[in-house]
């Protein structure tokens, strides 16, 4: 089930302790007129109005509101994964601890194809963080499934590519995550039939992966154009 709605409002309608896993890709608040290189051309970093810090009265309040709802609806043995960069990660981490979440790992997603620098005055940006946290003392970790990926124990550094062009068939989202990343997350900590929530659904990658892997899903996206991309992607799965 997916909803074209504000995530905090929609999460309030979800039953307490009913969700097995949450993957959240909230605004990073990167959109400040900066520049990057994309496809060999200089372009603005701006992602959209939803990513502009000034459009939120207080990002700490906003972050605590949506994370509080996540805590309420997550099962006691459930876990939450949250993507971020230096722009939002420390705020998220502080509020996770305030709400009594317990951090299991902080994953570093090392991108195999990061953009080049415009100004040659620093190291190239090539990674994002993913916080993995639990609500209670017990949680699911499918160690064997993770070991079998490369026949060795996984570290907390994942070297994975960005989004494959075939995953953009139904439209473009500026912060779309690759299916291979969500595949690893979903397989790591859920079982078939589990219920997964993505409160910032975007173009629907979490829900697409959940459907392919036999998990139930709830996706929430307030931008109608991205909601429609997600809907079309889901309808396109045989």
């Amino acid at each position: 089930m997916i909803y074209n709605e504000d995530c905090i409002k929609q999460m309030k309608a979800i039953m307490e302790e009913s969700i097995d896993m949450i993957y959240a890709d909230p605004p990073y608040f990167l959109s400040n007129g900066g520049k990057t290189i994309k496809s060999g051309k200089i372009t603005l970093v701006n992602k959209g109005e939803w990513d502009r810090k000034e459009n939120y009265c207080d990002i700490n309040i906003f972050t605590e509101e949506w994370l509080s709802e996540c805590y309420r609806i997550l099962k006691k043995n459930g876990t939450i994964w949250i993507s971020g960069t230096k722009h939002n990660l420390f705020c998220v981490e502080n509020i996770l601890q305030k709400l009594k979440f317990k951090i299991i790992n902080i994953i570093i997603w090392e991108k195999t194809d990061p953009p080049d620098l415009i100004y040659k005055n620093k190291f190239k940006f090539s990674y994002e963080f993913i916080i993995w946290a639990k609500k209670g003392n017990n949680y699911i970790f499918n160690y064997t499934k993770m070991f079998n990926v490369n026949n060795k124990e996984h570290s907390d550094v994942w070297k994975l590519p960005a989004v494959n062009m075939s995953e953009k068939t139904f439209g473009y989202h500026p912060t779309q995550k690759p299916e291979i990343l969500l595949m690893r997350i979903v397989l790591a900590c859920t079982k078939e039939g589990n219920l997964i929530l993505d409160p910032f659904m975007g173009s629907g990658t979490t829900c697409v992966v959940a459907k392919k892997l036999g998990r139930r899903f709830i996706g929430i996206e307030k931008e109608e154009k991205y909601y429609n991309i997600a809907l079309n992607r889901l309808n396109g799965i045989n």
Side-chain angles (χ1 to χ4, degrees):
M1 182 69 70
I2 64 173
Y3 298 91
N4 181 202
E5 186 57 87
D6 173 80
C7 71
I8 297 171
K9 178 180 177 181
Q10 190 62 48
M11 281 194 287
K12 290 182 183 296
I14 297 176
M15 187 183 303
E16 185 175 344
E17 295 187 355
S18 61
I19 304 295
D20 293 289
M21 190 207 92
I22 298 170
Y23 171 76
D25 188 13
Y28 290 6
F29 309 114
L30 284 167
S31 300
N32 58 5
K35 296 178 181 180
T36 187
I37 294 179
K38 182 179 178 182
S39 301
K41 298 179 181 179
I42 296 176
T43 183
L44 293 176
V45 176
N46 296 340
K47 311 296 183 182
E49 290 301 309
W50 50 270
D51 189 55
R52 296 177 66 86
K53 184 184 293 187
E54 55 267 34
N55 290 336
Y56 298 83
C57 58
D58 187 308
I59 62 173
N60 290 288
I61 292 173
F62 167 71
T63 302
E64 185 166 350
E65 284 182 344
W66 71 261
L67 275 174
S68 294
E69 283 303 312
C70 288
Y71 189 89
R72 181 185 67 82
I73 62 182
L74 193 62
K75 290 182 179 178
K76 284 186 171 65
N77 66 342
T79 57
I80 182 169
W81 302 69
I82 307 167
S83 289
T85 62
K86 65 178 184 178
H87 303 83
N88 71 329
L89 188 83
F90 301 108
C91 172
V92 167
E93 183 184 12
N94 287 336
I95 293 171
L96 281 172
Q97 295 187 29
K98 179 180 178 181
L99 295 173
K100 308 303 181 184
F101 279 105
K102 303 172 185 70
I103 294 175
I104 304 166
N105 282 120
I106 298 181
I107 307 296
I108 296 174
W109 168 29
E110 182 186 354
K111 301 177 183 179
T112 58
D113 47 1
D116 292 330
L117 290 168
I118 298 175
Y119 308 108
K120 311 303 182 184
N121 59 354
K122 64 186 74 174
F123 295 107
K124 185 185 293 189
F125 298 106
S126 63
Y127 66 91
E128 292 184 30
F129 295 106
I130 309 169
I131 297 177
W132 182 31
K134 60 183 179 177
K135 178 175 179 176
N137 292 324
N138 299 314
Y139 62 97
I140 295 172
F141 177 53
N142 297 317
Y143 172 87
T144 302
K145 283 185 180 294
M146 293 297 97
F147 186 93
N148 290 341
V149 172
N150 293 312
N151 291 316
K152 63 180 181 180
E153 289 185 333
H154 266 300
S155 75
D156 54 4
V157 178
W158 297 358
K159 192 166 186 176
L160 297 169
V163 183
N164 189 294
M165 288 304 297
S166 64
E167 297 172 25
K168 299 181 180 182
T169 303
F170 293 98
Y172 171 77
H173 189 287
T175 64
Q176 185 171 331
K177 298 298 183 287
E179 290 185 21
I180 191 172
L181 176 67
L182 269 298
M183 286 272 187
R184 184 170 296 182
I185 289 172
V186 170
L187 289 172
C189 65
T190 67
K191 301 176 181 178
E192 286 191 28
N194 278 177
L195 181 56
I196 296 170
L197 168 70
D198 187 337
F200 303 95
M201 179 179 65
S203 59
T205 300
T206 305
C207 299
V208 167
V209 168
K211 186 174 181 179
K212 288 180 177 180
L213 295 178
R215 276 65 168 170
R216 296 175 296 137
F217 58 86
I218 297 173
I220 308 170
E221 174 54 51
K222 69 177 183 178
E223 299 287 335
E224 186 176 6
K225 62 180 178 180
Y226 299 137
Y227 167 84
N228 287 329
I229 292 172
L231 182 62
N232 290 331
R233 285 181 74 188
L234 287 164
N235 288 338
I237 298 173
N238 294 325

